[in-house]
Amino acid sequence: MPATIRIVTAEEARAAIADLCEVLSDCVNGGASVGFMLPYEPEDAVGYWNEIADAVEKGGIILAVAEVDGKIVGTVQVGLASKPNQPHRGDLMKLLVHRSARGLGLSRRLMEVVEAEAARRGRTLLVLDTATGSDAEKIYPRFGWSQVGVIPDYAMWPEGGFCGTTLFYKRVG
């Protein structure tokens, strides 16, 4: 299955809300601790993705998607720090790949594209946090990210119960 990875505009994000909602819902229902609790259906994500599209339009977020056969099956974002003392920094957020599309190398490709775009927009440092003990935590070192530490009981798993968060950073550009 050949995949296309690309940065999308706010208009393209709005046109793809149904696919983006499906990806987010699938990941949350698969146990991803990305800020949402179970039960979580695709329609529950509409407001979230509308907010992201608005932020893309205002220049505050870079949104990348992975498409297979014209359908979005993965996504990742970089929030561009807006504080005057952080014009060089971005926050990597919500690397999501639908369970049906895992194993195709989409996470790595999404990361490469969004990191390059962040660097193109003047960011030299990216940071992220991910649930400690999750599958996601294992992939970031393979993508060249450095672990900083762990904060216990930082958030909750979608089904309940506390989870720690592991902090990472990567210099880009």
Side-chain angles (χ1 to χ4, degrees):
M1 280 190 276
T4 302
I5 312 295
R6 63 189 180 93
I7 303 297
V8 295
T9 65
E11 183 177 311
E12 291 168 324
R14 288 186 184 100
I17 292 260
D19 283 356
L20 291 166
C21 288
E22 174 59 32
V23 171
L24 179 55
S25 174
D26 178 74
C27 291
V28 171
N29 283 292
S33 177
V34 290
F36 305 98
M37 302 300 287
L38 294 175
Y40 198 77
E41 299 300 321
E43 56 270 15
D44 297 329
V46 172
Y48 171 77
W49 286 113
N50 280 320
E51 289 176 15
I52 296 303
D54 290 347
V56 169
E57 188 168 60
K58 293 174 184 168
I61 286 186
I62 300 167
L63 178 62
V65 298
E67 296 170 305
V68 174
D69 296 329
K71 181 174 176 63
I72 293 174
V73 295
T75 183
V76 68
Q77 307 161 35
V78 170
L80 302 174
S82 60
K83 293 183 176 68
N85 69 339
Q86 299 173 19
H88 64 290
R89 190 177 65 73
D91 295 294
L92 190 110
M93 303 176 292
K94 296 192 181 25
L95 174 60
L96 306 168
V97 175
H98 196 283
R99 288 177 285 179
S100 68
R102 293 188 182 160
L104 303 175
L106 299 179
S107 291
R108 179 178 297 279
R109 292 182 58 203
L110 280 162
M111 294 289 284
E112 289 169 351
V113 166
V114 81
E115 289 170 10
E117 181 64 16
R120 191 187 73 71
R121 295 193 194 185
R123 286 358 188 232
T124 57
L125 178 69
L126 298 178
V127 297
L128 70 83
D129 68 90
T130 192
T132 305
S134 67
D135 289 340
E137 180 188 21
K138 299 171 191 160
I139 67 170
Y140 294 112
R142 294 194 317 242
F143 297 165
W145 287 70
S146 299
Q147 182 177 330
V148 176
V150 174
I151 302 171
D153 299 337
Y154 185 81
M156 295 180 78
W157 295 108
E159 66 276 5
F162 290 112
C163 64
T165 195
T166 303
L167 304 171
F168 289 90
Y169 75 93
K170 184 174 184 180
R171 294 197 181 277
V172 296

